[in-house]
Amino acid sequence: MSHLASFPNLRTLPTLAPRPHFPRNGFKVHASRRKSNSSVCQCVSHTAQLSKHRKRKQSASQGLPHTRMRTQAAGNSSPAVDSTQTGPDSGEQMSPQSSTDTGDLNLDAIIAAGGSFDDQSASNASETEMYQQLDDEEDDEDYPQDTQVQEQEADEEEEDPDASYPDRPVRSYTLAGLLELADISLPEDFEQEEREVPISGLQNRPHKVQQGDLYIHIAKPDEDIWGCVHEALQRGAATIIASEAFEAEEDLEVPVMLLPDCLDAQQRLAIAFYDNPSTKMTVVGVTGSCGKTTTSWLIRGMFDELDKSAGLIGSVEYGIDEYLMNEEGDLWKRDEPDPTLRRESSVPYCLTPYCGKYVVPETLPDGLHVQKIMAGQADRGAAACVLECTTSGLQEGRCDYVDFDVAVFTNIAKDKVDAFGGIKQYLDAQGSLFLKLQDDSRQRAVINTDDPYADDFRRFASKVPVVTYAINDRTADVYAEKVSLGIWESEIIIATPIGHLNILTPLIGRNNVYNVLAAVATGLSINVPLQTIVAGIEATEVVPGRTEYIDLQQNFQVLVDSADTPEALSRLLDDVKMSGARKILLVFGCEGLQDVGKRPYMGEVAHYKADTVIITNQNQRSEDPNQIVQDIISGFPEDILEYNAKKPWPGGILQDVQRAEYTLREFVFEGQNRFRRYVCEDRYSAIRWAIATAQKGDVVVIAGKGDKDWTEVSDGEDGYIRGWLDDRVECRNALSKLYKLDSMRYMDRTEIPFMVMGERESRYWEWGKK
């Protein structure tokens, strides 16, 4: 039975002033898309994005293909993506002037450059002239490039985000007054002077203490407590709170309090100091094993569509509206120059400096910083805040003092349970979020009833009304009546107690259908109009690093995803296959110095669920990349491993071709082509291999890193250093250069290395003859 009928007293969103509008180049920048293009920020209006979906939906109803082919104006001689395509979406035939005799090309030089088919790849004059001619003829509208956007943004002076909001209140308390508000007893032996010590801030990290802060020391194993306290004092701490185990090595001139539970104390002090910010906003907490990030972004998209200022705390960012925030609750500003702003990609076999970038320390910060971020959002007029509540964070009590209005449960995955230590501990941790829901006039629970543990969460949320959602369970309040999956988008017809919804979203796959349903159920639970729910979800076209599509009008799909476990990779590839991919081309790797035991399973999943597999590096750190590769391929079936073992040279065919002797490289490639299983340790090149070989209707999947735009390699000693490498940027760069390969009509790109058509067969004949 639906609980929606019993919601007469639903608390609607706070009646606050609409969120500030920030005009940029004449467009309204939607928060859900602000980071969709990593270092390249594209300003796209709501109307333009929605009309794009509607046009595609209309073309589908007319029987037209979903692929977006480049169209060319009359007289434009730039080559089309697919010169064999006919019909209304096809481009004109390439003019004779731009056709090229590939027999004059130095293909070995191109291949030796690691598959980077850029202007620098050619070594002879004829090829250089050909590329120059293509570049001169290129039409910027037909072939969108990242370079111009980056240069424009780099030239523009960065605006001060604080100018868009009112000044934050200046908070200051006496020590006695703050402790009283936090319901913490003041030591009786404190003198009046100590009671009146002014407190202007809270901090639990000694290197961030500022003059007048109260420093709360959170003990960690094998940590020098006195060293931390001493640093805090040097930086101007006005009061010290530490555990009962703390012993000062010298007399201190500031008040010192010893408490049995500093973790709890810091949160109580925070809600007292920052005026309990969660009570000023509609707060939605999303928990579960998978889908938290995407669901959170979809929910924030609905708040954006309501024209309400909304905050987010999650794995991709802490933010409010269009702006990023740091964990202190301040709007993030670049503290050093970013050398990548003018670059359209990284460089193969080189490390690009990583600085001036935004990084999220952890999905759910500690309890003090959760309150700091929420205070920063509330002070700037946020009407709502969406939190990704990790299981470990809930277990540690990081949200104990957050006043939630809605708690959302997505699902439970076995791999997460095993890593956590058992289902009981896992359920208890996630259930703690729902046990906080006690006010049935205002608080709601949203639960996925297709999950086997749904009844446990119903029990946790027994004090408040529950809104359920599902794909299979037709008794749920919100369920998918019809689902149409494709490699470009998903169309979902959703039944709710108050009407049907038709949602078209580029978030593909069955798992994203669940995420959309969770967002719809959340919207209903807080009385968001159906029209706004649809608009908000459809406007959230991209969730960074979560089946994020890269679209430069190519006729195949490119997805970047953060799947880095066997189970996550399996779910991702199943979704892609279910969406109708002709073939799946997978690029992935495994982290160095981490989770060695999962590597064979990653290889096994990749082999059985992808058509073409390219194994590459992924933050190898100080571990030998070739060892990581060998661990992965140990999950391949016996026939491939036996074939590899029979090769008379070290490493066989399942190794990076650069590791083989020059005279053996053709044979290494021949063996890799035989099974469509490749090894390319340079991730830059591996991405370009996959994109260059993709055909119409294929899906290229770049898995493992998602929105993480860095790589970590050994520093030559005991540690490692970080460099810039963003899968999304590399994919866009590779796609933007694809027309150069398309212009080489006689190039055979079905296998690696690329060759002139007919040459590969003659080489195979020669090998067989020998």
Side-chain angles (χ1 to χ4, degrees):
M1 176 180 177
S2 172
H3 289 280
L4 294 177
S6 60
F7 285 7
N9 298 318
L10 271 178
R11 187 181 82 167
T12 56
L13 289 172
T15 306
L16 299 178
R19 66 181 183 138
H21 290 272
F22 314 103
R24 295 184 182 178
N25 302 328
F27 291 105
K28 171 182 172 184
V29 184
H30 196 277
S32 62
R33 289 189 301 276
R34 178 183 46 71
K35 207 182 175 202
S36 65
N37 285 313
S38 182
S39 61
V40 183
C41 184
Q42 295 182 341
C43 300
V44 187
S45 68
H46 254 164
T47 305
Q49 292 290 347
L50 289 176
S51 64
K52 174 182 175 182
H53 277 315
R54 297 304 179 195
K55 288 178 181 178
R56 196 181 304 166
K57 183 177 177 182
Q58 182 179 4
S59 69
S61 66
Q62 297 172 351
L64 300 178
H66 279 200
T67 54
R68 285 88 63 221
M69 305 298 295
R70 295 186 180 95
T71 57
Q72 296 176 225
N76 183 3
S77 60
S78 298
V81 169
D82 186 356
S83 59
T84 63
Q85 176 76 12
T86 59
D89 289 334
S90 64
E92 296 181 0
Q93 293 291 330
M94 184 174 61
S95 67
Q97 181 183 4
S98 61
S99 63
T100 306
D101 182 7
T102 56
D104 296 332
L105 298 183
N106 185 352
L107 299 180
D108 290 335
I110 300 176
I111 297 166
S116 174
F117 291 86
D118 207 343
D119 294 324
Q120 302 301 320
S121 300
S123 60
N124 59 13
S126 62
E127 187 176 354
T128 303
E129 292 173 1
M130 180 201 69
Y131 281 158
Q132 184 63 47
Q133 180 184 0
L134 288 172
D135 287 336
D136 292 342
E137 293 175 350
E138 179 182 348
D139 187 291
D140 292 337
E141 183 177 358
D142 287 345
Y143 305 107
Q145 301 282 328
D146 291 340
T147 309
Q148 293 182 345
V149 180
Q150 289 175 325
E151 289 182 353
Q152 178 182 356
E153 290 192 346
D155 291 339
E156 293 178 357
E157 182 179 355
E158 292 191 25
E159 61 178 307
D160 182 6
D162 288 313
S164 301
Y165 297 98
D167 293 336
R168 297 186 64 185
V170 177
R171 295 181 170 91
S172 181
Y173 296 87
T174 64
L175 177 60
L178 180 61
L179 292 174
E180 182 180 358
L181 288 174
D183 196 21
I184 298 176
S185 300
L186 190 69
E188 297 180 356
D189 58 349
F190 268 30
E191 298 180 358
Q192 186 63 29
E193 182 180 353
E194 294 176 311
R195 294 169 179 265
E196 298 298 323
V197 168
I199 303 297
S200 57
L202 304 177
Q203 190 53 260
N204 60 9
R205 294 172 185 171
H207 64 282
K208 291 189 175 182
V209 169
Q210 297 182 1
Q211 189 70 36
D213 283 354
L214 188 159
Y215 172 66
I216 308 110
H217 178 75
I218 306 300
K220 299 178 182 178
D222 302 325
E223 186 179 49
D224 181 9
I225 300 179
W226 169 245
C228 294
V229 171
H230 182 71
E231 181 179 359
L233 292 172
Q234 292 292 319
R235 293 178 176 273
T239 300
I240 302 294
I241 291 180
S243 66
E244 296 174 336
F246 171 68
E247 294 182 3
E249 297 181 4
E250 59 185 55
D251 293 335
L252 303 181
E253 298 179 356
V254 301
V256 177
M257 293 180 59
L258 303 182
L259 299 177
D261 189 350
C262 292
L263 282 172
D264 182 73
Q266 70 173 356
Q267 295 191 65
R268 293 163 66 178
L269 288 165
I271 62 171
F273 189 87
Y274 295 108
D275 307 314
N276 204 356
S278 63
T279 61
K280 303 175 183 178
M281 302 180 287
T282 297
V283 181
V284 179
V286 183
T287 191
S289 298
C290 311
K292 296 187 295 296
T293 301
T294 301
T295 301
S296 298
W297 278 65
L298 293 172
I299 294 170
R300 185 174 69 165
M302 291 190 300
F303 288 127
D304 287 338
E305 201 63 34
L306 283 169
D307 211 24
K308 300 291 185 181
S309 184
L312 179 69
I313 301 176
S315 58
V316 174
E317 66 179 46
Y318 312 145
I320 177 174
D321 301 323
E322 288 80 13
Y323 296 114
L324 299 169
M325 300 178 70
N326 60 30
E327 55 186 348
E328 299 300 319
D330 300 319
L331 297 181
W332 180 79
K333 301 174 185 177
R334 205 181 309 279
D335 56 0
E336 57 182 335
D338 183 355
T340 70
L341 289 181
R342 288 183 177 272
R343 296 192 177 191
E344 62 178 25
S345 72
S346 64
V347 180
Y349 303 102
C350 294
L351 194 67
T352 305
Y354 189 85
C355 50
K357 298 287 189 183
Y358 178 81
V359 178
V360 174
E362 51 188 332
T363 301
L364 186 66
D366 63 67
L368 172 59
H369 287 91
V370 166
Q371 298 294 335
K372 282 189 171 187
I373 297 169
M374 297 186 77
Q377 294 166 345
D379 290 345
R380 294 177 175 89
C385 176
V386 186
L387 286 86
E388 288 184 49
C389 299
T390 61
T391 309
S392 58
L394 290 171
Q395 185 185 47
E396 295 170 9
R398 299 183 183 186
C399 295
D400 283 355
Y401 291 89
V402 175
D403 184 14
F404 288 96
D405 294 277
V406 181
V408 182
F409 165 64
T410 60
N411 52 60
I412 287 182
K414 183 179 182 301
D415 58 318
K416 304 292 185 180
V417 173
D418 294 341
F420 200 77
I423 187 61
K424 184 181 185 305
Q425 297 91 321
Y426 200 80
L427 284 174
D428 289 344
Q430 292 195 0
S432 64
L433 174 62
F434 293 81
L435 290 172
K436 292 169 59 64
L437 306 178
Q438 300 290 324
D439 185 352
D440 63 356
S441 66
R442 152 178 88 82
Q443 295 177 314
R444 301 290 178 262
V446 175
I447 295 174
N448 173 14
T449 55
D450 279 348
D451 190 89
Y453 297 97
D455 289 341
D456 295 281
F457 286 88
R458 285 181 183 271
R459 186 177 69 255
F460 294 139
S462 59
K463 298 293 183 65
V464 298
V466 174
V467 182
T468 58
Y469 69 94
I471 293 178
N472 302 322
D473 181 12
R474 295 306 178 98
T475 65
D477 299 314
V478 177
Y479 65 89
E481 197 169 78
K482 182 180 179 181
V483 177
S484 300
L485 300 176
I487 64 172
W488 301 108
E489 60 199 4
S490 303
E491 185 172 9
I492 316 165
I493 298 176
I494 301 173
T496 77
I498 55 177
H500 282 69
L501 307 178
N502 188 352
I503 293 178
L504 196 65
T505 173
L507 302 175
I508 72 166
R510 182 180 177 87
N511 287 289
N512 277 319
V513 174
Y514 276 112
N515 298 332
V516 168
L517 293 172
V520 170
T522 302
L524 292 177
S525 72
I526 52 178
N527 286 339
V528 177
L530 293 183
Q531 183 179 2
T532 304
I533 292 175
V534 174
I537 291 174
E538 290 191 339
T540 309
E541 289 201 322
V542 169
V543 179
R546 307 305 188 271
T547 57
E548 179 177 353
Y549 70 96
I550 311 297
D551 182 7
L552 264 67
Q553 300 181 344
Q554 72 279 1
N555 61 357
F556 56 89
Q557 180 66 286
V558 178
L559 299 175
V560 176
D561 194 85
S562 61
D564 61 354
T565 66
E567 291 79 4
L569 184 62
S570 178
R571 288 190 294 267
L572 171 63
L573 297 178
D574 286 343
D575 276 352
V576 173
K577 193 67 175 178
M578 191 181 303
S579 298
R582 190 185 76 92
K583 287 187 178 180
I584 300 175
L585 293 81
L586 172 65
V587 178
F588 83 105
C590 289
E591 300 271 339
L593 306 179
Q594 293 181 8
D595 298 327
V596 176
K598 77 177 183 182
R599 294 173 184 171
Y601 299 104
M602 292 286 285
E604 182 180 16
V605 170
H607 173 79
Y608 286 106
K609 297 197 174 185
D611 300 285
T612 298
V613 176
I614 304 177
I615 301 172
T616 188
N617 278 336
Q618 181 178 314
N619 300 332
Q620 68 268 28
R621 302 185 175 92
S622 58
E623 190 171 355
D624 179 13
N626 189 51
Q627 182 58 54
I628 300 175
V629 170
Q630 296 307 311
D631 290 343
I632 293 172
I633 67 174
S634 66
F636 285 179
E638 287 298 322
D639 61 328
I640 296 181
L641 297 180
E642 290 176 0
Y643 181 90
N644 185 59
K646 290 179 181 179
K647 294 304 173 182
W649 60 83
I653 64 168
L654 296 177
Q655 61 175 322
D656 191 303
V657 69
Q658 301 295 331
R659 292 184 178 272
E661 294 183 13
Y662 183 80
T663 56
L664 297 174
R665 292 179 182 178
E666 281 190 322
F667 300 100
V668 172
F669 272 130
E670 187 273 335
Q672 293 184 359
N673 284 322
R674 179 190 183 100
F675 299 104
R676 308 291 295 181
R677 302 294 176 260
Y678 302 91
V679 178
C680 180
E681 293 177 9
D682 180 51
R683 197 176 184 95
Y684 174 101
S685 302
I687 290 173
R688 284 156 177 79
W689 282 13
I691 287 177
T693 55
Q695 303 295 315
K696 181 178 180 180
D698 291 347
V699 177
V700 176
V701 177
I702 315 297
K705 283 161 50 68
D707 62 295
K708 295 180 175 62
D709 59 350
W710 68 80
T711 184
E712 293 175 336
V713 299
S714 173
D715 61 1
E717 298 178 357
D718 295 332
Y720 49 85
I721 55 177
R722 180 173 288 185
W724 178 61
L725 180 64
D726 190 329
D727 286 352
R728 300 161 296 173
V729 172
E730 302 304 330
C731 288
R732 277 190 296 275
N733 178 254
L735 290 169
S736 71
K737 305 293 178 63
L738 195 59
Y739 76 94
K740 296 181 179 181
L741 285 179
D742 290 335
S743 69
M744 303 177 191
R745 295 193 176 188
Y746 303 103
M747 177 75 75
D748 177 7
R749 288 156 40 198
T750 59
E751 294 181 348
I752 300 171
F754 309 147
M755 295 182 181
V756 174
M757 289 185 179
E759 182 178 347
R760 194 185 311 276
E761 290 77 5
S762 64
R763 294 196 183 192
Y764 286 171
W765 182 83
E766 290 293 335
W767 293 339
K769 184 177 180 181
K770 293 178 182 179

